[in-house]
């Protein structure tokens, strides 16, 4: 069975500092896609970043970047220069050739002023 | 551009009453459509997904049902709501292996 694990229920970071959120997954598929979503208090689900498994280069979107370790089945999200608006729940998600997407249980990120 | 509309935003219903939540997508054809439920502070539970008109896959046996009467319309229903049906419901669309796009959600409270 395919699973996604986020082992950090909650993380805190000082404003302007860097924080890394962890995600591991398990699959027997060789071709798959990984995503990070942000859910602020408004509860909208917003795509933060995506990574295709066949790409070795780690994805980057402005202050957000991933560390994708395919052999270790790890997909962590790094947020640089953290801002108050980054405070949210972050969900790691996985899709692999089926129509279903698997989500982790989420990490709540607090940004301290 | 593609947009997804979900309504109502908030709903308060008595136990035993029926339910109908609607989701429509614009700007794309033959999307995959999804219904999720999210308890407060928790992850997303996939309830139903659909890959085409009239094609519904159920993930969790429950008091709810889904229908897809048109290509870009997805409806979540119940004949008799239970207290346990309370939660935050999200509709989403995607194409295969692409990110999902979510609606703004419906907060459902059962009294």
């Amino acid at each position: 069975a395919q699973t996604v694990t986020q082992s950090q229920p909650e993380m805190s970071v000082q404003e302007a500092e860097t924080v890394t959120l962890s995600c591991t997954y398990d699959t027997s598929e060789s071709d798959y896609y990984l995503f990070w979503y942000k859910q602020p208090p408004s509860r909208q689900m917003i795509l933060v970043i995506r990574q295709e498994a066949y790409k070795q280069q780690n994805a980057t979107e402005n202050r957000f970047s991933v560390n994708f370790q395919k052999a270790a089945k790890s997909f962590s999200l790094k947020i640089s220069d953290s801002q108050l608006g980054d405070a949210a729940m972050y969900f790691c998600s996985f899709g692999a050739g089926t129509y279903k997407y698997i989500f982790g249980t989420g990490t709540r990120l607090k940004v301290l002023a | 551009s593609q947009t997804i509309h979900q309504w109502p935003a908030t709903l308060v219903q008595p136990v035993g009453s029926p339910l109908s939540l609607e989701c429509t997508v614009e700007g794309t054809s033959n999307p995959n459509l999804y219904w999720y439920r999210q308890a407060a502070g928790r992850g997303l539970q996939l309830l139903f997904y659909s890959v085409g008109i009239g094609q519904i896959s159920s993930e969790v046996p429950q008091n709810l049902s889904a229908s897809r009467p048109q290509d870009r319309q997805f409806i979540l229903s119940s004949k008799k709501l239970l207290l346990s049906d309370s939660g935050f419901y999200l509709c989403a669309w995607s194409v295969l292996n692409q990110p999902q796009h979510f609606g703004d959600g419906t907060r459902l409270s059962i009294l």
Side-chain angles (χ1 to χ4, degrees):
Chain A
Q2 297 167 343
T3 60
V4 174
T5 301
Q6 293 180 251
S7 59
Q8 305 154 317
E10 189 170 297
M11 294 281 287
S12 296
V13 62
Q14 288 291 139
E15 200 174 3
E17 297 296 309
T18 296
V19 64
T20 298
L21 308 184
S22 300
C23 174
T24 58
Y25 58 92
D26 190 20
T27 182
S28 58
E29 300 285 341
S30 58
D31 187 20
Y32 51 89
Y33 297 77
L34 295 158
F35 312 97
W36 277 99
Y37 291 90
K38 170 186 178 181
Q39 188 179 41
S42 66
R43 302 190 82 172
Q44 267 192 311
M45 289 287 284
I46 303 164
L47 178 69
V48 174
I49 201 165
R50 59 174 292 179
Q51 175 79 45
E52 292 87 349
Y54 63 85
K55 290 186 177 179
Q56 293 186 338
Q57 186 173 7
N58 289 325
T60 299
E61 287 287 341
N62 300 314
R63 298 183 295 107
F64 298 88
S65 60
V66 299
N67 183 6
F68 175 47
Q69 302 288 330
K70 190 171 184 178
K73 295 182 180 175
S74 171
F75 180 59
S76 59
L77 175 68
K78 185 172 84 171
I79 306 174
S80 303
D81 185 25
S82 296
Q83 301 174 359
L84 293 176
D86 294 334
M89 284 287 285
Y90 286 82
F91 292 96
C92 179
S93 177
F94 166 100
T98 68
Y99 299 100
K100 294 190 326 185
Y101 294 77
I102 311 300
F103 284 81
T105 52
T107 296
R108 182 175 300 282
L109 178 65
K110 295 184 176 181
V111 181
L112 308 173
Chain B
S1 64
Q2 302 95 348
T3 57
I4 178 168
H5 303 281
Q6 182 182 344
W7 69 92
T10 305
L11 190 60
V12 180
Q13 292 284 94
V15 169
S17 64
L19 173 73
S20 181
L21 303 182
E22 190 163 340
C23 175
T24 59
V25 179
E26 297 177 358
T28 187
S29 295
N30 196 31
N32 300 321
L33 297 172
Y34 304 82
W35 279 111
Y36 291 92
R37 178 166 58 200
Q38 186 181 28
R42 305 292 295 274
L44 276 67
Q45 178 188 31
L46 177 63
L47 301 176
F48 301 95
Y49 68 94
S50 172
V51 301
I53 297 174
Q55 300 179 59
I56 308 295
S57 295
S58 174
E59 288 298 298
V60 182
Q62 59 208 328
N63 186 41
L64 302 170
S65 61
S67 61
R68 184 171 178 172
Q70 300 180 47
D71 181 44
R72 289 168 288 179
Q73 183 184 28
F74 204 26
I75 297 171
L76 183 68
S77 303
S78 174
K79 292 182 179 179
K80 286 187 176 182
L81 285 167
L82 306 172
L83 285 173
S84 58
D85 292 324
S86 292
F88 186 66
Y89 289 82
L90 282 161
C91 179
W93 75 270
S94 75
V95 294
L96 192 61
N97 292 329
Q98 297 300 309
Q100 292 185 297
H101 305 270
F102 290 84
D104 289 341
T106 297
R107 288 175 174 79
L108 175 63
S109 298
I110 311 299
L111 303 180

